[in-house]
Amino acid sequence: MLIPSPKWLRGDDVAASEITPREVFESRRRWLALAAAGAAGGALGPWFAREALAQNPAAQKLPATPNNAYVLTDKATPYDDVTTYNNFYEFGTDKSDPARNAGSLRPRPWQVSVEGLVKRPKVYDIDELTRLAPQEQRVYRLRCVEGWSMVIPWTGYSLAELIRRVEPQGSAKFVEFVTLADKKQMPGLGSPVLDWPYTEGLRLDEAMHPLTLLTFGLYGEVLPNQNGAPVRLVVPWKYGFKSAKSIVKIRFVEKQPRTSWNIAAPQEYGFYSNVNPDVDHPRWSQATERRIGESKGGGFGALFAPKRKTLPFNGYAQQVASLYQGMDLRKQF
Ligand SMILES: Nc1nc2c(c(=O)[nH]1)N[C@H]1C(S)=C(S)[C@@H](COP(=O)(O)O)O[C@H]1N2
Ligand SMILES: [Mo]
């Protein structure tokens, strides 16, 4: 994002999959069936599990119950695209680098320190954190500030579940997320493209919003390393870069924390970073996006995918717009 390069929008390293109206219809039908199975108390539906297993037989399953409150009619982005077209600068700046290089990340053993202005600070072992609350399957859009988007069946639970357990003090106004920075595991740290470790932040009410997902898996399996194993955030109404990967520390603070992208380019990346089609990035428009995997008939992924209108708050305005009442989101971008 820092370096102006049209390559990000070209997405020429994406394997495109051709989508026919029939496939779209079939996929919707499968998803509705899955949602129905969830309502009947079934565990992980067969469609996600089958697709992930076919492409990654070594994957470890992460059982979850579909949450019907978070169903989309959009077709889910193919597993192959979700796991090979990534932003994870600790493993390189090309979209294909994380899938190639993240094999050196060791997601176990792993601990997450929850600290700062809370009554019950605690260092959680990743397995305890995984079991802290029931794992849910939720389908969310993820939209990158670079102009591409995906639709992904994530597995996790609301971050609020964890926040309630550690009991923030009255003085806690923001939450800072610090991610792993280990040169032995992450070859990209040798490059000064960002101020390591990668950090992000949310206002406490944003962090408490039920949509904010502490995420342990996708497509019914534990997170692949390149997608932020073993635990990441997904904040679906904000640009993808707010969704910090491979988190090691969650800190409750009084003042708005510094964030890696804001430090790198403050005029381009603000603290809030809500998806906003009306506020252009200084170097490109944010009015439209291309859905990865939607290009027809060729290996040029994002380039030939049809443009879609970007929705305010990435389509989640009804749920989250009230958080920003009275704020000028052109200034607080
Ligand atoms: N630690 C860390 N987290 C990160 C990033 C990163 O470079 N490092 N990139 C962000 C960006 S810009 C995006 S768009 C999403 C991409 O998530 P995905 O690769 O799982 O689609 O991760 C976000 N989280
Ligand atoms: Mo991004």
Side-chain angles (χ1 to χ4, degrees):
M1 293 190 289
L2 184 60
I3 313 146
S5 163
K7 189 161 175 240
W8 287 319
L9 293 175
R10 239 173 37 227
D12 47 6
D13 47 357
V14 182
S17 65
E18 180 144 52
I19 295 156
T20 65
R22 186 193 150 90
E23 279 165 339
V24 173
F25 172 73
E26 289 283 325
S27 125
R28 277 188 195 153
R29 229 179 37 167
R30 278 194 300 256
W31 170 239
L32 289 173
L34 179 67
L44 177 69
W47 160 52
F48 296 137
R50 243 188 283 123
E51 174 154 354
L53 191 69
Q55 307 215 27
N56 184 6
Q60 209 188 319
K61 287 218 177 24
L62 180 57
T65 305
N67 185 328
N68 298 316
Y70 307 104
V71 173
L72 295 178
T73 51
D74 308 35
K75 184 187 170 23
T77 304
Y79 177 88
D80 198 35
D81 291 324
V82 171
T83 56
T84 59
Y85 188 91
N86 299 102
N87 269 337
F88 200 166
Y89 278 24
E90 288 85 335
F91 295 100
T93 55
D94 262 23
K95 292 287 172 284
S96 56
D97 284 342
R100 234 193 339 245
N101 299 332
S104 52
L105 177 70
R106 293 188 309 273
R108 293 283 188 295
W110 191 281
Q111 294 180 326
V112 179
S113 173
V114 187
E115 57 184 57
L117 302 171
V118 290
K119 295 187 189 124
R120 300 171 173 278
K122 180 173 166 138
V123 178
Y124 284 89
D125 182 77
I126 187 63
D127 293 317
E128 184 185 356
L129 194 63
T130 305
R131 288 190 301 263
L132 193 74
Q135 292 284 340
E136 298 174 12
Q137 187 105 49
R138 300 184 184 183
V139 182
Y140 283 170
R141 300 181 193 89
L142 181 90
R143 196 227 191 250
C144 181
V145 74
E146 297 160 11
W148 50 267
S149 63
M150 300 198 197
V151 175
I152 302 175
W154 300 105
T155 300
Y157 53 75
S158 291
L159 177 65
E161 295 279 353
L162 171 63
I163 295 179
R164 272 194 285 274
R165 283 165 173 84
V166 297
E167 298 182 39
Q169 296 170 14
S171 52
K173 299 284 185 273
F174 294 89
V175 189
E176 182 184 36
F177 303 89
V178 182
T179 73
L180 184 71
D182 180 358
K183 280 195 170 157
K184 288 193 286 277
Q185 300 181 57
M186 301 171 138
L189 294 183
S191 143
V193 60
L194 284 175
D195 192 29
W196 313 111
Y198 189 104
T199 63
E200 259 305 337
L202 294 172
R203 218 169 53 193
L204 185 59
D205 58 342
E206 297 176 322
M208 286 292 291
H209 194 282
L211 274 171
T212 302
L213 193 71
L214 195 62
T215 307
F216 300 83
L218 56 79
Y219 265 102
E221 63 182 46
V222 298
L223 281 173
N225 288 354
Q226 61 268 35
N227 293 87
V231 60
R232 67 175 294 173
L233 210 59
V234 180
V235 193
W237 70 94
K238 292 179 182 272
Y239 291 112
F241 65 87
K242 297 298 277 186
S243 298
K245 294 174 163 181
S246 304
I247 295 169
V248 292
K249 202 180 285 181
I250 300 178
R251 214 152 65 91
F252 292 76
V253 296
E254 189 166 356
K255 296 211 175 73
Q256 183 174 301
R258 286 151 56 90
T259 65
S260 287
W261 280 107
N262 182 244
I263 293 167
Q267 68 292 350
E268 305 197 353
Y269 307 112
F271 178 80
Y272 282 93
S273 309
N274 291 309
V275 173
N276 191 339
D278 297 331
V279 176
D280 289 346
H281 184 280
R283 289 184 270 127
W284 59 81
S285 162
Q286 291 291 5
T288 62
E289 67 200 58
R290 296 181 193 273
R291 189 69 49 86
I292 298 299
E294 275 191 347
S295 61
K296 296 192 196 277
F300 298 95
L303 178 59
F304 293 121
K307 278 189 181 177
R308 300 170 162 259
K309 271 199 163 153
T310 286
L311 302 170
F313 297 104
N314 201 23
Y316 299 94
Q318 229 184 341
Q319 292 98 316
V320 302
S322 63
L323 293 175
Y324 309 100
Q325 244 163 29
M327 283 177 67
D328 181 349
L329 295 181
R330 288 179 169 276
K331 291 204 177 105
Q332 310 243 44
F333 60 90

